[in-house]
Amino acid sequence: QLVYPYDFRLTEKEKTSICYLSFPDSYSGGLGDTQFSFRLRQSGGQRTTHYEDDGEYNREAPLTLQREAAHYFGYVYFRQVKDSSMKRGYFQKSLVLVSRLPYVNLFQSLLQLIAPEYFDKLEPCLEAVCNEIDQWPPPVPGQTLNLPVMGVVIQVRIPSRVDKPGSSPVKQFNQENLLPAPLVLPSIHELDLFRCFQPVLIHIQMLWELMLLGEPIVVMAPSPTVSSEMVLSLTSCLAPLRYCCDYRPYFTIHDSEFKEYTTRTQAPPNIVVGVTNPFFIKTLQHWPHVLRVGELKMSGDLPKQVKVKKLAKLKTLDTKPGTSFARHYLGIQRKRPSEVQSALLRRHLLELTQSFIIPLEHYIASLMPLQRAITPWKNPPQISPFCQEDFMKTLEHAGPQLTCVLKGDWLGLYRRFFKSPNFDGWYRQRHREMTQKLEALHLEAICEAVSSAAALKPVRARCQHLPVKEETLQRVSLYIETIIGSLPEDLQAVLHHH
């Protein structure tokens, strides 16, 4: 019906997809308001972004919160109420916020403020809201922002890449005597993991393995809310490692990728897809992993909720500690508040990921050339190639078995991880960072050599009364300034200081 702001360009294909993804696709007898999320592949060529600071934001943001280049996130607020004046007997409408940022908590909280007003006052409300949002500062990692909208100030901290993994968000915000008191969001993106995973908690370790290996998973849920929360929880459970495969928190039969995902002529893609339409039970039954999330029934029907065809091949780590971990939660810990349970669960998953990734980090750090090999007179030295067999040899003395309670075939898990998009994504990112570091060190070495040589030349010339023209001296100084000016600001500051 309406796109705001007007200059936001969507292709017809994107508009159609957004329409289908903005409504529950199976019969929903429930009345009232529903919120859920989706992720949409951008169609058409690369369009210019409103943000010129994409590179800077992505450099400083955690990998899991980077702005996406090829996908949009959609945050939906759907209302269904009886209305006899409508042809169907119901008022059914969705307000959708589209962004490249995965800030699910911030944007869903924003919709809770805007949507009820919008359904009442329509377009003027959106215009006023967009004018306010236009004044918001950009999301700078590490900063706490006050975001005024509709008489409320939302206060959030934008996470930064330098934050310690697993540390809880800063509790003490600077209130700045704000009136009214701000609506403080403890996190812009973290869901209530314990609530999302409770029905499948006994399988949490196996789900972590499937996500690590980028295995195809179908999440079948009774509603888009449950579907999208489960998919987003699954993709977040590898943090701080980035999940590099595709994922669709909510997917419908009208999606342009429907044929691509349901074909039986090729293996399912590396994707986690959330669905609610019972039609998918049939069309996706050839997929290897199906996770059914229904109403919370904690009795005997848990094993039926997870179908893993390749269970014998995939289960590399011993399940007993994972199972006892789940029982520990479901039994003794029931009285704890959900946010405490979620923090514990997040820490458990973080420890699993760190046990797995730290040996890889140690090995890749050993591939970096020694500092003394970096000289201003040669090209920067090359990073040594990643040799999987060499890495496997390091595991005996530095493997996960030393830090993790789980025993089992860690070697087998690494071998399968090497074939997954998650390894490829991790390795490319680390290699890019190391190459940039080498280039910066090499530039620094060149600058030090040039500046010390250039600084000595005029001194020698003047001391020995050599016939050096003033024009030559000025050219050397200009050359040095040009080189220094092309460097990052922190290096410039160091060199100017010298």
Side-chain angles (χ1 to χ4, degrees):
Q1 255 186 355
L2 178 66
V3 177
Y4 223 96
Y6 295 124
D7 60 350
F8 183 60
R9 294 276 166 260
L10 288 167
T11 65
E12 286 309 309
K13 189 176 175 184
E14 285 164 351
K15 283 183 187 172
T16 304
S17 294
I18 288 171
C19 286
Y20 280 122
L21 287 165
S22 300
F23 289 89
D25 72 340
S26 51
Y27 171 72
S28 167
L31 296 176
D33 296 352
T34 306
Q35 287 185 262
F36 55 94
S37 314
F38 62 79
R39 184 168 173 268
L40 170 75
R41 189 187 292 174
Q42 181 181 296
S43 65
Q46 188 71 33
R47 293 193 287 285
T48 54
T49 168
H50 283 284
Y51 302 97
E52 298 305 319
D53 63 337
D54 261 13
E56 193 177 332
Y57 170 81
N58 281 353
R59 270 196 303 278
E60 295 176 16
L63 295 176
T64 50
L65 289 182
Q66 289 189 337
R67 195 179 265 124
E68 294 233 8
H71 290 86
Y72 291 123
F73 293 96
Y75 303 96
V76 182
Y77 193 107
F78 168 68
R79 173 167 288 184
Q80 176 168 288
V81 289
K82 279 187 175 172
D83 184 343
S84 54
S85 67
M86 298 280 179
K87 198 173 171 184
R88 287 179 159 194
Y90 288 98
F91 169 92
Q92 292 170 308
K93 192 174 268 196
S94 284
L95 182 64
V96 187
L97 190 153
V98 177
S99 172
R100 292 188 188 279
L101 291 166
Y103 292 175
V104 59
N105 279 352
L106 172 59
F107 292 139
Q108 291 292 15
S109 301
L110 182 61
L111 282 173
Q112 284 169 19
L113 296 170
I114 301 169
E117 283 286 308
Y118 166 69
F119 292 134
D120 187 31
K121 296 174 182 156
L122 301 179
E123 197 175 340
C125 165
L126 280 194
E127 185 165 6
V129 162
C130 285
N131 286 338
E132 285 189 287
I133 292 174
D134 238 4
Q135 307 303 312
W136 286 5
V140 178
Q143 285 192 4
T144 296
L145 305 179
N146 294 314
L147 310 173
V149 64
M150 298 181 67
V152 177
V153 175
I154 303 174
Q155 193 170 71
V156 288
R157 182 182 180 274
I158 309 296
S160 163
R161 196 175 291 195
V162 296
D163 293 348
K164 190 166 167 273
S167 62
S168 58
V170 185
K171 288 281 188 287
Q172 288 303 310
F173 289 108
N174 177 13
Q175 297 290 341
E176 296 178 18
N177 299 320
L178 291 171
L179 287 172
L183 168 65
V184 179
L185 300 185
S187 165
I188 55 167
H189 67 291
E190 287 180 352
L191 294 166
D192 184 339
L193 269 201
F194 181 70
R195 182 174 54 77
C196 295
F197 281 145
Q198 200 166 348
V200 292
L201 203 54
I202 201 161
H203 305 289
I204 193 71
Q205 181 202 312
M206 178 174 63
L207 292 170
W208 174 83
E209 277 189 54
L210 293 176
M211 295 305 292
L212 183 72
L213 301 176
E215 285 282 321
I217 301 177
V218 186
V219 174
M220 292 188 173
S223 71
T225 310
V226 175
S227 149
S228 58
E229 286 190 348
M230 179 58 85
V231 171
L232 292 173
S233 295
L234 284 168
T235 56
S236 76
C237 76
L238 297 181
L241 189 65
R242 184 183 196 166
Y243 177 72
C244 295
C245 308
D246 200 357
Y247 61 99
R248 300 302 163 94
Y250 175 51
F251 187 74
T252 77
I253 56 175
H254 305 288
D255 207 285
S256 53
E257 280 95 52
F258 177 74
K259 282 196 177 75
E260 186 186 318
Y261 295 163
T262 52
T263 176
R264 287 165 183 260
T265 55
Q266 60 197 54
N270 300 93
I271 187 172
V272 181
V273 60
V275 300
T276 62
N277 193 324
F279 180 69
F280 282 107
I281 296 172
K282 198 170 181 182
T283 52
L284 298 179
Q285 63 184 340
H286 62 293
W287 277 41
H289 315 297
V290 178
L291 181 61
R292 275 191 176 175
V293 192
E295 298 304 311
L296 294 186
K297 290 179 189 154
M298 302 310 295
S299 56
D301 60 347
L302 268 180
K304 292 179 217 158
Q305 287 184 306
V306 178
K307 184 193 78 173
V308 183
K309 279 186 185 163
K310 300 179 193 165
L311 189 58
K313 280 192 222 165
L314 264 162
K315 201 77 213 91
T316 52
L317 303 183
D318 178 23
T319 55
K320 288 188 186 71
T323 310
S324 61
F325 169 78
R327 293 235 163 88
H328 180 58
Y329 266 116
L330 299 174
I332 309 162
Q333 309 296 344
R334 270 188 194 279
K335 294 191 178 104
R336 282 191 171 157
S338 188
E339 61 268 21
V340 177
Q341 304 277 40
S342 281
L344 287 170
L345 184 51
R346 208 175 289 283
R347 191 187 311 152
H348 171 72
L349 292 165
L350 174 68
E351 284 166 5
L352 261 182
T353 303
Q354 284 181 325
S355 293
F356 185 82
I357 211 77
I358 284 170
L360 282 161
E361 292 285 356
H362 283 164
Y363 174 71
I364 203 167
S366 74
L367 305 178
M368 188 82 164
L370 295 170
Q371 186 121 7
R372 64 170 175 265
I374 302 167
T375 71
W377 325 119
K378 294 179 188 168
N379 284 337
Q382 296 295 300
I383 298 161
S384 304
F386 190 107
C387 173
Q388 293 181 13
E389 290 313 309
D390 285 353
F391 167 72
M392 299 302 259
K393 285 174 196 159
T394 68
L395 291 175
E396 192 182 337
H397 306 294
Q401 71 279 2
L402 304 177
T403 54
C404 188
V405 294
L406 298 179
K407 305 300 171 209
D409 183 14
W410 284 102
L411 298 184
L413 192 60
Y414 280 111
R415 286 194 195 284
R416 284 204 300 280
F417 177 67
F418 290 143
K419 296 175 190 155
S420 81
N422 289 329
F423 169 70
D424 188 55
W426 171 81
Y427 177 68
R428 280 168 188 261
Q429 174 72 25
R430 297 296 287 112
H431 196 273
R432 189 160 55 243
E433 288 169 357
M434 287 160 70
T435 305
Q436 286 168 350
K437 171 90 173 156
L438 270 179
E439 285 170 359
L441 289 169
H442 187 237
L443 263 176
E444 212 170 323
I446 290 172
C447 283
E448 277 186 21
V450 169
S451 59
S452 57
L456 285 172
K457 266 184 196 166
V459 171
R460 281 202 204 105
R462 283 186 177 128
C463 288
Q464 297 169 18
H465 304 291
L466 294 174
V468 177
K469 293 178 185 170
E470 191 62 37
E471 183 189 340
T472 307
L473 294 176
Q474 284 172 355
R475 273 217 304 273
V476 170
S477 298
L478 183 65
Y479 176 64
I480 295 167
E481 284 302 320
T482 306
I483 286 182
I484 290 176
S486 68
L487 294 174
E489 284 179 18
D490 50 347
L491 278 182
Q492 287 188 40
V494 170
L495 292 170
H496 280 307
H497 175 68
H498 287 311

